Amino acid sequence: MHRENYINVLREEIVETVANHLTPSALKYGYSEIPLETNIKWRPMVLLIGNYSSGKSSLINEFLGAEIQDTGQAPTDDSFTVITYDETLADDAKIQVTEERDGKVLLNDPEYPFSTLRKQGQRFASHFRLKKCNSPFLKDLAIIDTPGMLDSITERDRGYDYQDVIGDLAQKAGLVLVLFDAHKAGTVREAYKSIRETLSAATFEDRIIFVLNRIDECTSFNDLLRVYGTLCWNLSQITGRKDIPMIRLTYSPNAAPKTVGAAGFRKAEYLPLLENQREDLRRAILDTPRRQLDHLASFVEVQGERLIHYMEALSEYREKRRKFRFQKILTGVLVSGLFGAVTAFSVLMLGIPDMILMGSAAGVGAAVFMIFWMSVVQKRQEAAFHQHIQTNIDTLTDVEDQTRKDSWEAVRELVRKHLAKGKGGYSLFELRRDLAILRQRTAQASQEIREAMGEVAALSDDEEADFDIPILSINEISKPVGLGDAYYENFRYTI
Ligand SMILES: Nc1nc2c(ncn2[C@@H]2O[C@H](COP(=O)(O)OP(=O)(O)OP(=O)(O)O)[C@@H](O)[C@H]2O)c(=O)[nH]1
Ligand SMILES: [Mg+2]
């Protein structure tokens, strides 16, 4: 089996591992409302964002080898288009759009990872679509073209939360290309917000590539340097980084003559020197499936770590609550006993020295007091305890090192929210058992994934990989022990 296939099989197996071994506990204990694999289950995605008319659609057409997306000088396309592979046509068929589906299908079909965007409403659904295309470029990935960013537009004009959608898609994407054009190297407002806030929250620096596009339109090499300098300055201001992020310089040869006018078009002499940049960009895009494997491997480790930390905190809460309850009940029993004794003594003081009567009075007195204790005092104390823990949530965990600090930071609010909601419908015993299983499975999965990743790194492009299916032996354990059939049948996904 070749490297690409090995990567694909491994990707599917990592997703399966998440679905089988992390998701059941994540859903059961309220760590997540949707299956954890929702964002990673589909093919690797490359997201293109950027100013309007920065040449996003033209560059996509360039890579796909056909006019798949509409292009034009004015803000042309106000839709999000997911372009994916269609393998049904013969290899030598002309590259074309083979099927189009509208947003509603895309948002509701569980095959696709876009159900999280349903909350954006009707306006968004009508600006979201899928195109299938037989370009070989798409064999192992999908591309998402987006509406150009503008200065004047507001959320109300768009009718959905544009930044939220970009953030959601960036989170799912293995690579995000941020395009600027030579005319608008000073960034527009929406682009500023996307880079400064949305992308930094949704993805990682190493998944973002900045591209200065349409460089053929610079009038001279000097002009190109000025534009490049302006963009570097703007980007360092936006990102707040001292080092300048790597910027690829490119253009779409097929679009270029159209804009300048075939007669007036003269290929600038610096362009041939920069052709390799588009090739680098093409390679970076095609490398997304492999890069995404790294992301998936760390996804399993990070989510595993966080989920374990989350469940540990819940377990600590239950443990504390059990001790507290036991102490208070014991106090109740002692006080009730005392109350019974006082009742018996009162009977004696009334001048009735009858042992049976005194004993009955003590029993009734103690029982009445205990009922009062359990129904009033105990309840109040438990409510106060519950409240106390929520305001002192950090007492539920030790954060002995930076990794633990980071994972606690990520789950602290989730724990608080979960406790605020109430009971949870599981026992401490179950929680501990599931936690022990999860610890063991996460360790095994991380170890096996690391070994398989080592295998990928050692393989060259045309080398045959020698391996058994499944690559990860953890997938032979298909259902987590302890979360049995009843759990799967009774559980309702709350997407
Ligand atoms: N000279 C030149 N023109 C380009 C290049 N890329 C795109 N164009 C032209 O610029 C215009 C806008 O290109 P699009 O690809 O539609 O840009 P976009 O970023 O998709 O625009 P929106 O979808 O409206 O945000 C079109 O007229 C293209 O022909 C390029 O590299 N060089
Ligand atoms: Mg476009």
Side-chain angles (χ1 to χ4, degrees):
M1 186 177 284
H2 284 287
R3 186 172 182 261
E4 270 169 26
N5 294 344
Y6 185 88
I7 290 177
N8 284 340
V9 174
L10 183 54
R11 187 173 59 79
E12 278 162 23
E13 288 202 20
I14 295 178
V15 173
E16 196 183 325
T17 304
V18 172
N20 279 344
H21 302 293
L22 297 185
T23 289
S25 291
L27 293 172
K28 180 177 177 185
Y29 295 106
Y31 173 78
S32 170
E33 290 195 340
I34 56 170
L36 290 180
E37 66 280 11
T38 304
N39 281 349
I40 55 166
K41 68 180 173 190
W42 204 47
R43 44 202 356 244
M45 288 182 274
V46 177
L47 176 69
L48 260 88
I49 61 173
N51 296 342
Y52 70 95
S53 294
S54 54
K56 299 178 291 299
S57 308
S58 304
L59 198 61
I60 291 176
N61 290 343
E62 196 74 39
F63 286 136
L64 299 187
E67 295 281 311
I68 301 301
Q69 285 291 81
D70 292 339
T71 61
Q73 273 302 359
T76 301
D77 186 358
D78 61 353
S79 290
F80 288 82
T81 311
V82 180
I83 312 167
T84 188
Y85 189 52
D86 189 343
E87 58 192 2
T88 52
L89 298 193
D91 281 355
D92 55 354
K94 182 173 154 272
I95 295 174
Q96 57 192 285
V97 175
T98 56
E99 188 185 337
E100 281 198 54
R101 306 183 85 180
D102 69 18
K104 277 202 202 89
V105 179
L106 208 50
L107 294 172
N108 293 308
D109 187 339
E111 186 203 332
Y112 301 109
F114 303 114
S115 57
T116 47
L117 288 167
R118 265 186 241 155
K119 63 171 187 283
Q120 297 295 341
Q122 284 304 319
R123 278 285 288 278
F124 174 71
S126 61
H127 287 87
F128 192 42
R129 60 176 181 227
L130 176 91
K131 282 185 184 173
K132 285 193 177 176
C133 164
N134 57 335
S135 168
F137 192 77
L138 295 169
K139 254 190 178 141
D140 297 309
L141 52 92
I143 294 186
I144 309 178
D145 194 5
T146 59
M149 294 175 182
L150 300 164
D151 250 336
S152 52
I153 207 155
T154 64
E155 296 304 343
R156 213 176 319 124
D157 296 329
R158 289 210 190 259
Y160 56 85
D161 190 336
Y162 178 81
Q163 297 294 341
D164 217 34
V165 175
I166 294 286
D168 186 289
L169 292 174
Q171 216 175 3
K172 300 181 204 305
L175 184 67
V176 181
L177 301 188
V178 185
L179 261 72
F180 300 92
D181 57 295
H183 300 287
K184 301 185 285 292
T187 53
V188 298
R189 195 170 57 84
E190 278 193 325
Y192 182 94
K193 194 164 180 213
S194 292
I195 300 165
R196 174 112 201 165
E197 295 163 21
T198 314
L199 286 188
S200 62
T203 187
F204 300 93
E205 266 171 34
D206 65 345
R207 290 186 209 175
I208 303 174
I209 297 183
F210 293 104
V211 180
L212 176 57
N213 197 25
R214 299 179 65 164
I215 55 165
D216 59 295
E217 290 176 308
C218 292
T219 51
S220 63
F221 189 55
N222 266 350
D223 190 30
L224 174 66
L225 286 182
R226 235 189 344 258
V227 170
Y228 180 72
T230 311
L231 182 58
C232 287
W233 165 257
N234 280 324
L235 278 182
S236 66
Q237 293 298 302
I238 297 173
T239 56
R241 279 169 51 178
K242 286 211 184 71
D243 56 330
I244 296 165
M246 172 78 181
I247 300 171
R248 300 244 172 254
L249 307 170
T250 194
Y251 72 105
S252 302
N254 285 320
K258 276 184 231 153
T259 341
V260 183
F265 180 70
R266 191 175 59 82
K267 201 169 177 179
E269 61 278 12
Y270 56 82
L271 285 182
L273 301 173
L274 297 168
E275 290 293 333
N276 61 338
Q277 298 250 332
R278 190 169 47 258
E279 197 41 45
D280 286 353
L281 195 57
R282 168 192 290 274
R283 254 185 264 127
I285 295 175
L286 289 175
D287 196 35
T288 308
R290 194 204 50 77
R291 285 158 57 114
Q292 189 147 12
L293 261 194
D294 292 339
H295 307 152
L296 288 185
S298 48
F299 180 91
V300 173
E301 290 197 0
V302 170
Q303 292 300 326
E305 234 161 51
R306 289 182 183 172
L307 180 56
I308 287 171
H309 207 155
Y310 174 87
M311 285 167 67
E312 278 173 2
L314 297 192
S315 164
E316 179 65 17
Y317 169 77
R318 287 291 174 106
E319 184 63 45
K320 277 190 158 81
R321 193 181 73 177
R322 197 176 67 155
K323 278 192 192 138
F324 179 85
R325 216 174 240 179
F326 181 72
Q327 274 173 5
K328 294 300 161 195
I329 291 176
L330 197 68
T331 314
V333 169
L334 291 176
V335 179
S336 302
L338 209 63
F339 192 79
V342 171
T343 319
F345 187 68
S346 311
V347 171
L348 186 68
M349 294 311 282
L350 287 173
I352 317 170
D354 181 336
M355 289 306 280
I356 295 177
L357 196 64
M358 277 169 63
S360 313
V364 171
V368 168
F369 190 85
M370 195 62 200
I371 290 169
F372 166 74
W373 180 274
M374 290 306 289
S375 55
V376 181
V377 183
Q378 183 81 15
K379 264 197 184 150
R380 280 200 188 161
Q381 286 183 333
E382 280 189 24
F385 166 82
H386 191 66
Q387 203 54 44
H388 173 78
I389 293 283
Q390 283 179 62
T391 41
N392 297 280
I393 200 88
D394 292 337
T395 56
L396 292 180
T397 185
D398 292 327
V399 280
E400 60 278 356
D401 56 28
Q402 192 57 42
T403 320
R404 291 280 287 177
K405 255 187 214 154
D406 291 346
S407 63
W408 180 239
E409 201 55 49
V411 301
R412 184 206 272 122
E413 273 316 299
L414 282 177
V415 173
R416 198 201 306 275
K417 271 193 199 143
H418 181 76
L419 293 184
K421 263 194 223 155
K423 305 219 176 315
Y426 50 82
S427 67
L428 178 59
F429 170 77
E430 258 179 282
L431 178 57
R432 281 190 181 152
R433 182 198 53 197
D434 292 345
L435 184 55
I437 294 168
L438 183 69
R439 278 203 186 103
Q440 187 242 322
R441 297 273 196 274
T442 309
Q444 186 186 346
S446 302
Q447 164 81 19
E448 288 185 2
I449 291 170
R450 245 178 269 135
E451 281 167 16
M453 297 291 290
E455 187 77 18
V456 174
L459 278 176
S460 60
D461 277 350
D462 48 1
E463 198 178 342
E464 293 275 329
D466 173 28
F467 67 92
D468 301 325
I469 291 185
I471 300 176
L472 307 176
S473 69
I474 191 163
N475 287 331
E476 283 164 1
I477 316 164
S478 61
K479 203 170 281 182
V481 179
L483 296 170
D485 290 343
Y487 166 65
Y488 286 101
E489 277 157 22
N490 292 336
F491 189 77
R492 287 200 199 340
Y493 289 112
T494 47
I495 298 175

